[in-house]
Amino acid sequence: MGDDDKASPILHALKEHGISMAVASRSPTPDVAKTFLQTLGISSFFVTLEIFSSWTHKTEHFQRIHATTGVPFTSMLFFDDEDRNIHTVSKMGVTSILVGNGVNLGALRQGLSEFSRKPASSSRIE
């Protein structure tokens, strides 16, 4: 039906395996974005929804995710469709994957593969 059909099974599988997930998004209407995630029935999958107006930097999203969850940047995996965000967040130590049309199983596999090659993070995967 839509992108949710691709993402929903991935979200379910990750949650079942105890993987914490968060949203890091810029939106001119954060309340609308959060309501949309609730309408899709997927907001409960995320430990935090860091959705701010478009003036915020992606690094601020990740600093807040870290503060909320205690998860180190090197133990995070990030997917985004903007190369500048991938570049900036990678500098923080986050494994960052550029996606063209959302996160699908192929993108998830690529992310997990790159994440597992990081020396400090290999012990975090179970």
Side-chain angles (χ1 to χ4, degrees), residues 36-105:
F36 184 67
L37 291 173
Q38 290 171 344
T39 302
L40 289 174
I42 61 173
S43 62
S44 64
F45 285 101
F46 305 104
V47 295
T48 185
L49 300 174
E50 302 300 335
I51 304 173
F52 307 116
S53 61
S54 58
W55 59 267
T56 58
H57 293 284
K58 218 39 113 163
T59 53
E60 183 179 339
H61 293 125
F62 278 85
Q63 289 164 349
R64 286 180 181 236
I65 291 169
H66 170 67
T68 301
T69 65
V71 174
F73 298 131
T74 56
S75 294
M76 295 181 186
L77 178 54
F78 171 57
F79 299 90
D80 198 278
D81 62 350
E82 291 187 37
D83 191 52
R84 65 188 172 118
N85 291 335
I86 296 297
H87 183 71
T88 302
V89 174
S90 291
K91 286 182 177 180
M92 299 174 78
V94 177
T95 300
S96 303
I97 306 298
L98 183 66
V99 295
N101 191 24
V103 179
N104 56 30
L105 195 53

Side-chain angles (χ1 to χ4, degrees), residues 110-126:
Q110 177 190 352
L112 291 173
S113 176
E114 290 191 25
F115 183 82
S116 68
R117 286 197 293 265
K118 288 172 66 173
S121 64
S122 60
S123 63
R124 303 264 314 166
I125 297 176
E126 298 177 6

